[in-house]
Amino acid sequence: MYPREQYLNKIISKKDNGRIKIITGLRRSGKSVLLFQLYRDWLISEGVQEDHIIALALDVLENAKYRNPIELDKYVRERMTEDGKKYYILIDEIQFVSEIQNPYVDNPDAKITFIDVVLGFMQMKNADVYVTGSNSKMLSSDILTQFRDRGDEIRVYPLSFAEFYNEYEDDKRGAWQDYYTYGGMPLATALEKHEEKSRYLKDLFDRTYIKDVLERHEIKNDAEVLSILLDILASGIGSLTNPTKLSNTFKSERQIAIGSETIEKYIGYFEESFLIKKAVRYDVKGRKYIGTPAKYYYTDLGLRNARLGFRQLEETHIMENVLYNDLIRRGMNVDVGVVEYNTKDPDGKKVRKQLEVDFVVNKGEKRFYVQSALSIADPEKKEQEIASLKRIPDSFSKIVVVRDYLKPWQDENGIVYLGIEQFLLDENIFK
């Protein structure tokens, strides 16, 4: 079992703060283990009695009854038998609770949802409430608003490389290759053979993620379109695209007519489910965002690779995706950087060109520019990689991350170079 200290410490810090702790993230990324085992064990170690921890997983069939909000409310309250004694309420996959008509009033528009239930628990002075969920639209924005700023969100990601590396039992030199191939879904890392890992990751897509999207949004006829779209996005990680371009790809390569508006909607569903994340472009010199095109990254590389049958294991784009995920996990705001500059074409005419910075990383008042490069051994290749960084007219830190292990060093331009494993294992880089 992975200790998940980053997330466990966040939950512990919010214990008994009078707010709802909302633990979100991709399904099967470890939220349940975090809450039901790691945090529960910690509570018990701190002297909390086991019968004062009320834990309920709503994604299992035996608890289907409690997907009715009234039954859920009844279940919890019946177990809070001691007045004045603190109870810790842990509810897993809260989005499974259905919205029902209020049976006590005649108004057909009067509904009861899990929001009513959880808000009711909050009114009880002896209750400390924790819920998990796998849908960002439901849990990150709408609910936090309806909770009137009385909820704290804790986002959980698949295993970071550092978490994976610390528990890696084989020769550590193989950790990077295993990680970028199979990703950080906890159960996948516990499987030994490629066939087992591959089958598990593929089944997650078909039986969990795609099924969830189809059922949640009542999509009847576009299961194949959703699957193809996930494949196209998986194949194009690290590449700029937009819904119009994707619509044209469907038409030219798959002979499927699907509008850009529909594609944009479906991409939104994937983002809500934490499968992918969108990185928008930022004009570094102009200090403004560029609406389109954008890049999409998979939350877990093992899932991405499974979509493609492990046929596209090109480290260039995979490294970039891993870096993006790790920056997000560290709490950074991450954009794709654009640096514009003036030059002349072969005929001597002035032209304006663009160079890309892989990531513009912001945390508070601090900013960092991060470039992902497979290798800088060739001087010409090195100059190509740092060309955008050299044209940024500010003094914020600039970092080039390469695949190979190397002793960190800084060049005459103030650019720092270090290996991918060093970067991912050092939590103090941005301090």
Side-chain angles (χ1 to χ4, degrees), residues 51-65:
D51 61 354
H52 282 66
I53 302 173
I54 303 170
L56 187 65
L58 294 173
D59 61 341
V60 296
L61 185 60
E62 65 186 82
N63 293 327
K65 174 181 179 180

Side-chain angles (χ1 to χ4, degrees), residues 229 233 242-243 246 262-272 276 278 296:
L229 180 56
L233 292 172
N242 59 38
L246 292 168
T262 301
I263 287 179
E264 185 173 17
K265 179 174 65 175
Y266 288 168
I267 289 176
Y269 295 161
F270 298 147
E271 290 183 88
E272 290 170 11
I276 62 172
K278 179 181 180 180
Y296 294 93

Side-chain angles (χ1 to χ4, degrees), residues 148-422:
R148 303 175 187 88
D149 296 324
R150 289 182 287 179
D152 288 330
E153 182 186 7
I154 300 165
R155 180 70 57 84
V156 174
Y157 297 91
L159 298 172
S160 68
F161 177 72
E163 290 178 296
F164 178 81
Y165 184 88
N166 288 338
E167 302 294 326
Y168 193 75
E169 296 181 351
D170 295 330
D171 187 334
K172 296 287 189 182
R173 288 175 294 182
W176 166 244
Q177 186 172 3
D178 275 359
Y179 185 76
Y180 81 66
T181 302
Y182 301 111
M185 299 301 284
L187 184 54
T189 67
L191 302 173
E192 294 186 1
K193 297 181 180 179
H194 169 80
E195 291 77 14
E196 294 174 323
K197 294 175 184 285
S198 175
R199 187 182 311 113
Y200 170 71
L201 293 167
K202 289 177 180 178
D203 284 350
L204 267 184
F205 259 110
D206 295 336
R207 299 181 183 181
T208 303
Y209 304 134
I210 293 180
K211 181 182 177 183
D212 279 355
V213 171
L214 291 172
E215 291 180 352
R216 183 176 298 136
H217 300 285
E218 299 181 348
I219 300 171
K220 303 297 184 183
N221 303 314
D222 274 355
E224 181 184 8
V225 169
L226 289 175
S227 184
I228 293 172
L229 180 56
L230 285 167
D231 288 344
I232 294 173
L233 292 172
S235 184
I237 57 169
S239 301
L240 293 167
T241 191
N242 59 38
T244 299
K245 184 176 179 180
L246 292 168
S247 176
N248 293 334
T249 299
F250 267 91
K251 186 175 181 180
S252 62
E253 297 183 9
R254 307 284 183 151
Q255 290 75 53
I256 297 175
I258 181 170
S260 59
E261 297 85 358
T262 301
I263 287 179
E264 185 173 17
K265 179 174 65 175
Y266 288 168
I267 289 176
Y269 295 161
F270 298 147
E271 290 183 88
E272 290 170 11
S273 299
F274 304 108
L275 272 170
I276 62 172
K277 193 168 178 63
K278 179 181 180 180
V280 298
R281 293 199 299 163
Y282 179 76
D283 181 346
V284 175
K285 290 185 176 181
R287 298 183 180 181
K288 61 183 179 182
Y289 283 98
I290 304 170
T292 186
K295 292 187 177 184
Y296 294 93
Y297 295 103
Y298 264 70
T299 302
D300 181 78
L301 266 298
L303 292 171
R304 177 264 180 188
N305 295 336
R307 286 304 309 172
L308 303 175
F310 297 90
R311 290 186 296 272
Q312 287 184 238
L313 296 179
E314 68 293 349
E315 274 189 274
T316 305
H317 296 310
I318 287 177
M319 257 186 65
E320 187 177 321
N321 200 144
V322 170
L323 276 173
Y324 177 81
N325 289 345
D326 206 69
L327 291 167
I328 293 294
R329 176 194 64 81
R330 295 180 193 226
M332 305 295 185
N333 295 311
V334 185
D335 302 311
V336 176
V338 175
V339 179
E340 293 190 338
Y341 69 101
N342 294 316
T343 187
K344 292 183 179 180
D345 66 14
D347 297 326
K349 292 183 179 180
K350 288 184 177 180
V351 293
R352 193 156 181 81
K353 290 192 174 182
Q354 291 183 342
L355 293 172
E356 183 177 289
V357 181
D358 286 330
F359 304 118
V360 179
V361 182
N362 293 285
K363 187 172 186 180
E365 296 179 351
K366 294 183 178 180
R367 172 175 291 181
F368 305 84
Y369 301 102
V370 179
Q371 195 81 341
S372 174
L374 201 61
S375 175
I376 54 169
D378 179 77
E380 184 177 343
K381 176 62 176 173
K382 175 191 168 187
E383 284 303 310
Q384 290 177 358
E385 294 290 354
I386 67 174
S388 60
L389 300 179
K390 290 168 66 175
R391 285 182 166 85
I392 298 175
D394 62 42
S395 59
F396 290 118
S397 298
K398 301 172 179 67
I399 303 171
V400 176
V401 183
V402 301
R403 177 190 59 188
D404 299 324
Y405 180 90
L406 53 82
K407 185 177 180 179
W409 61 283
Q410 189 175 48
D411 68 12
E412 66 277 7
N413 300 299
I415 300 171
V416 174
Y417 301 79
L418 71 165
I420 180 67
E421 293 186 40
Q422 296 158 288

